[in-house]
Amino acid sequence: MIKDDYEAVEANIEKACRKAGRSRSEVTLIAVSKTKPVEMLREVYGLGQRDFGENKVQEMKDKIPQLPDDIRWHLIGHLQRNKVKYIAGTVAMIHSVDTWELAQTIQKEAAKHNRVIPVLLEVNVAGEDSKFGLTVADTPALVRKIAELPNVRVEGLMTVAPYVPDPEENRPVFRTLRQLSVDIAGENIDNVNMNVLSMGMTNDYEVAIEEGATLVRVGTGIFGARNYNVEN
Ligand SMILES: *Cc1c(COP(=O)(O)O)cnc(C)c1O
């Protein structure tokens, strides 16, 4: 079952790439495994998947030692400063940087591990009250500040688009994020690149790919619905 769903997602990604005239290699699928047991992650790993996304530090920290160490772990959820230390040594990318204070904490913890942590700035493009993230207007200034931190490297932008019945409704959101990344890239800031656009979830990843996503974060489409009452 997981195999069929995983292969269907893969086929959809290929199709969206073809439609957009992009190479499949430009898009990386992140399997969002939050609330799912490690057996399911192992199964998807066995199908060749290497990028996994979790939204909670504790859960990521618990899963990492139980799974192969060539997995790239993406922290995609809101991150509290006091928890950065638990993942600073292992996380492949933090997608949810939205304050200078958080960036400074990541700097401090990354330095302790003598590494540079790749990060994305989370932008609340649609301006939803319920969501974390920077406004479009505030994003360039924070990128310029984080550029000064030697152990943090900004590699792009991330957004969580609204849940909408028709994924086409999110096309302007994705387009806005991409334009923002083009604008920031145009500033040629040292220690910053805008190669990564993390956008698109189960409901809308094909549209996101058409609009330039390089990372798509798919949970339900691979693992099935989440049951928070039982599993969390
Ligand atoms: C849960 C989550 C996803 C995956 O959502 P699905 O709709 O299950 O694909 C993607 N991004 C973030 C930030 C999430 O928290």
Side-chain angles (χ1 to χ4, degrees), residues 30-34 53-55 75-78 95-96 122 158-160 163 198 200-205 216-222 224-226 228:
I30 299 177
V32 176
S33 45
K34 62 192 187 198
E54 291 284 341
N55 70 336
L75 198 284
I76 60 174
H78 181 64
H95 291 227
S96 47
E122 179 171 357
M158 176 270 217
T159 197
V160 179
Y163 182 80
S198 171
M201 303 169 33
T202 296
N203 194 43
D204 54 19
Y205 61 94
V216 290
R217 309 179 307 267
V218 179
T220 313
I222 296 171
R226 289 176 291 272
Y228 285 100

Side-chain angles (χ1 to χ4, degrees), residues 10-23:
E10 178 54 39
N12 290 337
I13 292 173
E14 272 172 37
K15 202 168 133 202
C17 286
R18 229 178 0 254
K19 186 173 168 194
R22 303 180 64 195
S23 156

